[in-house]
Structure formats: structure tokens, C-alpha cells
Amino acid sequence: MVKNGKLANVFVYVKEGAPAGPYPVPSEPVVLDQKNCRYSPHMMGVMAKQPFKITNTDQADHNIHDMPSKNPAWNETQMPTDKPIVKSFTTPEMMIVLQCNQHPWMRAYVNVMSNPYYAVSAPDGSFEIKNLPPGEYTLAAVHEKFGEKTMKVKVETKQAAKADFEFSAK
Ligand SMILES: [Cu+2]
């Protein structure tokens, strides 16, 4: 959503230059809730093999359906009283669409990552990627409508690097 020229729900990640890893996979799940017939959050990052937990706090049935190209596809109904559904994604993949077969306007995006260097922009457009070691990187910012932009950034020891992305509506 654009608010005062600030763009929320932009997924920002290190596209090139991240140390090869491997990185520990968090055991803490990324949680996607279905509330008031919307997905919350709308844009997410999750690490490959990290638990991905889907909850339903509505009094309605939802049917959650992912549309990946490299990961397993699933399509499951979740009633109001059902337990959370826990999934995970095996392979890094950008912008997997999640949809509800009951409510076609419900849509969310999941980015499956091999490292922890990513963030989603806040309503004020800001984002922060923490703990990136000093070095030179290509940072990318992806928006569902405006596509992807990239930028080179240099991170110096113990200093925050700045990266301002601009998207223009076509
Ligand atoms: Cu639904």
C-alpha cells in the first residue's frame, strides 16, 4: 500500500554477495493468520525448512493454497476450530503466491530464503536487515505490482549502510 509516498510490503533481500552459509534454520515458525478474510501479514520471508504456521482466527472456513514452482504445492481447508496447519518450504523461491479458494481476494506472498538477510518494509516504507557482515552486496527490493529493483550497497564495520529504493507506478 502506498501511503504518503511510502511503500509497505516490499520484500528486501540480499540478492548477491551473502556469505555462503550454511545458516541455522530458526525453529520458531513464521505465522500467517487468516483474520477478517485477509492474510496477515501480506508479504513474508521464511527460511527453507523453517516451520510455516497457518492459523485461522475467523469464524469462516478458509482454504489455503500455495502456488510454487520449486516447492511442494498444497491445498487445504481450515475450519474455524481446526488446529494450525504447519508446513515448510524445501527450496529457495521468490514470491510464492498463497490464495484462498473460498475468498478469491485473499492473497499473500512468501519468499523462501537460504539466508537470514531479508526484511519486509513497514507502513512507513522503512526496513532493516540486521547482522550483515562488512562487504559489498547487491540488495534487491521486490513488490507484487512494481517488480524488482536492485542496488549495490557497501556495509562497513559497525556502521549502518543506507539503501533507498524508489518505485514508480506505470
Ligand atoms: Cu478464505
Side-chain angles (χ1 to χ4, degrees):
M1 181 166 97
V2 179
K3 201 174 179 189
N4 301 325
K6 310 292 189 191
L7 195 57
N9 289 320
V10 176
F11 188 80
V12 186
Y13 70 106
V14 174
K15 186 164 189 169
E16 286 166 24
Y23 293 94
V25 176
S27 53
E28 190 70 10
V30 170
V31 179
L32 174 68
D33 191 26
Q34 298 160 113
K35 194 175 184 184
N36 301 323
C37 280
R38 301 215 168 260
Y39 289 124
S40 171
H42 178 70
M43 177 68 77
M44 285 155 284
V46 62
M47 279 182 68
K49 303 189 174 79
Q50 182 177 6
F52 183 73
K53 186 171 160 183
I54 303 149
T55 57
N56 182 5
T57 54
D58 279 338
Q59 292 306 308
D61 295 1
H62 291 292
N63 175 280
I64 185 149
H65 181 188
D66 74 333
M67 279 161 279
S69 57
K70 299 176 184 163
N71 283 280
W74 29 264
N75 185 354
E76 292 190 20
T77 298
Q78 194 174 32
M79 320 279 259
T81 52
D82 281 353
K83 282 188 296 194
I85 295 172
V86 181
K87 297 284 182 188
S88 65
F89 298 90
T90 52
T91 310
E93 181 175 350
M94 298 302 296
M95 298 296 273
I96 298 175
V97 175
L98 298 182
Q99 242 180 0
C100 178
N101 291 0
Q102 313 279 3
H103 311 106
W105 62 87
M106 289 177 72
R107 189 172 261 259
Y109 296 86
V110 183
N111 297 280
V112 184
M113 308 305 291
S114 60
N115 67 52
Y117 304 123
Y118 55 84
V120 177
S121 68
D124 68 357
S126 68
F127 66 89
E128 186 180 20
I129 296 177
K130 288 182 185 155
N131 302 322
L132 200 54
E136 290 185 41
Y137 302 97
T138 302
L139 212 58
V142 192
H143 184 267
E144 64 190 87
K145 290 203 180 74
F146 303 128
E148 181 171 287
K149 297 238 168 177
T150 59
M151 182 181 287
K152 302 265 186 207
V153 289
K154 189 172 179 182
V155 176
E156 316 251 21
T157 309
K158 298 200 172 181
Q159 282 182 33
K162 266 191 87 158
D164 290 320
F165 287 97
E166 278 184 32
F167 289 93
S168 49
K170 282 173 210 139

